[in-house]
Structures are given as structure tokens and as C-alpha cells.
Amino acid sequence: MSLGNLRDLYQQVILEHYKKPRHRGKTEPVHRSQRGHNPSCGDTIELTLQLNEAGDRICDVKFSGEGCAIAMASADLMAGACLGKTVSEALEMVERFQGMMKGEVEFPKELRKLNVMQGVSQFPVRIKCANLTWHTLKAALENPDRTQPEAGFVSNELD
Ligand code: ZN
């Protein structure tokens, strides 16, 4: 597959998730809530999470917000990938995603859909758009008592 075709494929997947997101909305109930903002592009996102009773596994993730196709598609892909994962597995995925955007690692076969975002890493200004949702997820998972988005939002400006 030529590089041009590969880039088209990335774009196709990104646009598909942007136009027809599968995980938009709000979880019921909300066990974690976190807002994130990417000032360099203007993307904003709000994640809500539903956890299991023990609070160590993700039962559902939903997102809302406004932003570019890359930020929104990345949120939709992330939400799908995190379903059923433990909190520590999800935090590992955050690390892996950031590593992938630096060209260091790839996702294994069962999560290979996430590798489409690698196409974005060729455009440094867009990396923050793709990272926003993961950055926000990390903050949500690391703040156990946060159920109200008003409690604050994370900005990825300093990445
Ligand atoms: Zn953006």
C-alpha cells in the first residue's frame, strides 16, 4: 500500500468516527467526569465514565464537546477501546498512545484501530488534538472523587 493510500485510509477512518460517533453522550450513572481543553485548536471535550462496583473497571465511556474531526474521532476511538478495560489497563493505553504519537510504539492487534491516529503524528500541530481525549481520560481516572465537570478541566497546552 502506498503512503498516499495509507493516508487516505487514516482520513477515511477519522471522518467516519467524526460523522458517526458511537460513544457520544453521557454515561448513566456518572462515576467520573472530566473536561479537557486544547487551546491551540479550540477543541473541548467532556468525558463521563461509568465504573464497576469496585471502581477498578470501566463499564462505559461517553464523550461530548466540540472540536475538529481529529479530536472528536480520537475521543470516539478511545471510548470504544476502553470499554471493559481495567483502570490500570486504560492508564497503560494512555501511555502507549502518547508513545505512538512520538513514533515509538504501536498498539497490539486487538487494539489496532487506534493505530490510525498514527497518521496524524505527521502533522505536529494536530498531535494535541489526538492526545486531548487521552489526556482527559488520564485526569478522570486519577481523580477518584471527581463527578462534577465544574470541578475543573485539564489543558494539554503544556505537553
Ligand atoms: Zn483540534
Side-chain angles (χ1 to χ4, degrees):
M1 196 186 274
S2 78
L3 202 63
N5 288 340
L6 201 60
R7 204 169 295 153
D8 288 347
L9 178 72
Y10 288 144
Q11 279 179 358
Q12 210 178 320
V13 175
I14 288 168
L15 281 176
E16 190 193 303
H17 281 271
Y18 175 58
K19 288 182 185 158
K20 290 185 191 157
R22 283 151 225 186
H23 305 281
R24 222 180 215 287
K26 196 173 183 180
T27 62
E28 182 56 53
V30 174
H31 292 135
R32 300 285 168 85
S33 175
Q34 180 69 54
R35 283 194 299 182
H37 180 47
N38 173 26
S40 62
C41 178
D43 310 310
T44 59
I45 193 169
E46 184 180 335
L47 292 182
T48 50
L49 273 65
Q50 182 189 354
L51 303 177
N52 67 350
E53 214 164 312
D56 59 6
R57 193 176 282 277
I58 298 171
C59 298
D60 198 11
V61 187
K62 289 212 156 49
F63 75 98
S64 61
E66 295 301 327
C68 66
I70 290 166
M72 296 296 112
S74 188
D76 201 49
L77 281 163
M78 181 278 288
C82 285
L83 290 182
K85 296 282 185 290
T86 65
V87 168
S88 57
E89 283 168 343
L91 287 170
E92 271 175 42
M93 284 163 66
V94 173
E95 296 292 317
R96 190 172 269 270
F97 191 86
Q98 286 167 351
M100 179 185 77
M101 296 310 276
K102 291 181 198 148
E104 292 164 359
V105 286
E106 282 198 355
F107 279 93
K109 219 192 242 172
E110 67 272 19
L111 292 167
R112 66 176 183 272
K113 269 182 102 176
L114 293 171
N115 291 325
V116 301
M117 282 292 160
Q118 229 174 0
V120 174
S121 66
Q122 300 163 40
F123 310 98
V125 74
R126 291 302 201 178
I127 293 176
K128 285 181 178 181
C129 303
N131 275 340
L132 176 64
T133 188
W134 293 92
H135 203 80
T136 309
L137 176 71
K138 186 170 188 235
L141 293 173
E142 288 177 346
N143 293 289
D145 300 323
R146 187 162 288 173
T147 55
Q148 297 300 318
E150 293 74 23
F153 63 85
V154 288
S155 165
N156 65 356
E157 186 68 332
L158 299 173
D159 272 5

